[in-house]
Amino acid sequence: MTPVLELRGIDKSFGPVQVLHDVAFTAYAGEVTALVGDNGAGKSTLVKCVGGIYPIDSGDYLFEGKPVHVNSPRDAAELGIEIVYQDLALCDNLDIVQNMFLGRERRNGLVLDEDSMEELAQKTLASLSVKTVKSIRQLVSSLSGGQRQTVAIAKAVLWNSKVVILDEPTAALGVAQTAQVLELVRRLADNGLAVVLISHNMNDVFAVADRIAALYLGRMAAQVKAADVTHSQVVELITSGRSGELGLKNGSGVTQ
Amino acid sequence: MTDLASRPAQAPEAGARRRRAIGAQRLSDATILLLLIGMIAAFSVLTPAGTFLSLSNFESVLLTASQLLILSCGTTFLLIAGGLDLSIGAVTVFSAVVVAKVMGALAGTAAQAADFQYPNLAVAVAAAVGGGLAVGLGWGVLNGVLAVRTRIPPFIATLATGGIVLGLASVWTDGQNVQNVPLPFQTGFGLGKLFGVVPWPIVIAAVVTAVSWVLLAKTRFGLHTYAMGANLEAARRAGIDVGRHMVLLYAGMGALCGLVAIIDVGRFGTASITSHSGDGLAAIAAVVIGGTSLFGGRGRISGTIVGALIPAVLQSGFVIMDVQPFWQNVAVGVVLLVAVYVDQVKIRAQTRA
């Protein structure tokens, strides 16, 4: 099966600091791929490279098997890559519909076509079985953390994205809300999207992920099926870059 | 297009939900509208019958408010988007100097003007109007580019450009008012009326206000303006070209200054160097009284209309009551404090709820 998203040999430096070394990463349709790694391992940088916020220095970026150049967030959005950031980036003063359509509003002549946008937003939320929101004309400022996460994720679905990248979607949530969001993440993948889940939480990762990619000091230590590894192996990959046969070999150039 | 068929069934419900949400927000506008109505009622009672509450006074109040209203419309957009323009008084003055100079120079020779003969009036007016708008727009673009590119806070950037622009206007005119404005421009436009009924400045202000309202409330441009004021990063990530949008807002503000300059020259037959120095702060006061947040993200044109009418109503009432009109400044200051305080209390109550 061709991965929807495939990166090969990605290098990225900021001035003299090389943050990503020869990173490979793949994400498949219908699967949740967890991207794990310690603070500073390069998760955010990798995601921003995927999203076109940082240009890559070298390496191959393949989308549905074809090499592409992603130089701006717009390029990524056009391919169908949507990133849901940790800080969510919603506008508090706008309602749910307006946030979901922000930047891609529908118009009727010169004015906004509010009714058709509202209807489509409603359908999208219904298709994701989202029932926690009272009215989709609620201002986002009145929503809970979990509801905000839901809106941000639904936005990605609304745009028929092929790849949805979620940056720590459960970091600020309580138990019940975390369960709801993870359920939503699973549903996205079951609907045929390639989902990339960045998380620190091993329980979350093992609850929904099909594959696990572990970054260690800017290198991809391993990308494995979740069923093939144990909890503690993943922790070892995160903390030392290797676990038994898995992971980076000695002499692989890891400085430090 | 596939969902066109199902839309009629869903649309009424959708529309109703949106109207309810908007209705809740409008409640906060009502307070300041009540204040305006209260002022009008009070002056109506306190003044002799047929003075304050008369059609001619109504017209004169609107005429007084027209220029402030135009500037306030532009300021509403800027404040909602998180911008600020303190230079609008200066840009208005500079544009007025351009309008008056160009019109005076092109309309005819000095000898002809002395006889009130203006052989090239049409060309002169067209050039002056175009020049005034273009110069206002130009200064606006400069403000916008400074705000976006240099990251100098707009408060400082526009304070500086305001000083520069007003200084240049004064240097150019030796600090003297520009006087040789063709009389027909004043009688025909500044003091003229559409269909002999509605003064031109009021017509222009009404059109600007209506266009601003539609633009802000109904279009993508307006929505993006709100989005930028609430969360610039979110707007940027949503693919909005926030730099371009901000420059457009400042440019529009500048063009409105040019428009006000044209009206001002028409009404008073002169380009006055000193009479607009307070316009920037007056417009900000009117807009904030009207419920727009100084910190961006919140506001609407309906509130701005009320906010821009309050000073004119106060002035008119005080003049008729033979109270020193300077009390208007005092009253507007008090209203500004009360309006912002009430707003803050409301926001605190909302966030607690």
Side-chain angles (χ1 to χ4, degrees), chain A residues 1 3 25-36 186 202 205-214 220-235 237 243 246-247:
Chain A
M1 188 170 71
F25 179 75
T26 51
Y28 294 88
E31 291 192 354
V32 177
T33 306
L35 179 59
V36 298
R186 191 61 250 175
M202 285 306 122
V205 168
F206 277 94
V208 294
D210 301 295
R211 284 169 203 271
I212 298 172
M220 188 56 75
Q223 184 159 2
V224 293
K225 287 201 163 160
D228 297 344
V229 287
T230 64
H231 201 121
S232 57
Q233 278 180 304
V234 175
V235 173
L237 284 170
S243 170
L246 285 170

Side-chain angles (χ1 to χ4, degrees), chain B residues 122-136:
Chain B
V123 175
V125 168
V129 166
L133 290 173
V135 165

Side-chain angles (χ1 to χ4, degrees), chain A residues 107-141:
Chain A
R107 282 187 299 185
N108 195 345
L110 281 177
V111 299
L112 295 167
D113 187 353
E114 299 277 2
D115 289 349
S116 99
M117 287 194 284
E118 181 169 330
E119 199 187 315
L120 198 58
Q122 184 80 56
K123 270 187 200 157
T124 304
L125 287 171
S127 78
L128 294 170
S129 313
V130 173
K131 297 181 191 85
T132 54
V133 190
K134 247 185 295 166
S135 160
I136 55 173
R137 283 297 176 182
Q138 250 177 299
L139 293 186
V140 161
S141 59

Side-chain angles (χ1 to χ4, degrees), chain B residues 254-292:
Chain B
L256 289 179
C257 292
L259 188 62
V260 167
I262 293 162
I263 294 174
D264 201 60
V265 171
R267 284 180 68 197
F268 302 108
T270 171
S272 161
I273 297 294
T274 51
S275 63
H276 291 281
S277 49
D279 279 12
L281 292 172
I284 291 168
V287 169
V288 171
I289 286 174
T292 296

Side-chain angles (χ1 to χ4, degrees), chain A residues 74 85 87 89-91 93 98 102-103 105-107 110-116 118-119 122-123 135 137, chain B residues 3 6-7 10-11 14-15 17-18 21 25 218-220 223-224 226-227 230-231 234 237-240 297:
Chain A
R74 206 170 267 275
Y85 291 94
D87 57 10
L90 298 172
C91 293
N93 61 342
Q98 289 169 327
L102 189 62
E105 299 82 4
R106 286 189 168 191
R107 282 187 299 185
L110 281 177
V111 299
L112 295 167
D113 187 353
E114 299 277 2
D115 289 349
S116 99
E118 181 169 330
E119 199 187 315
Q122 184 80 56
K123 270 187 200 157
S135 160
R137 283 297 176 182
Chain B
D3 46 47
S6 61
R7 196 187 300 166
Q10 298 254 356
R17 194 158 37 206
R18 190 172 75 253
Q25 292 166 35
K218 300 281 173 195
T219 70
R220 183 183 285 180
L223 189 69
H224 290 179
Y226 281 107
N231 192 335
R237 284 187 202 157
I240 299 170

Side-chain angles (χ1 to χ4, degrees), chain B residues 329-340:
Chain B
N329 299 333
V330 178
V332 170
V334 172
V335 171
L336 180 60
L337 285 176
V338 172
V340 174

Side-chain angles (χ1 to χ4, degrees), chain B residues 43-44 46-58 316 320-321:
Chain B
F43 282 129
S44 302
L46 293 171
T47 55
T51 53
F52 182 83
L53 201 63
S54 65
L55 204 59
S56 67
N57 192 50
F58 182 66
S316 159
I320 294 172
M321 284 174 68

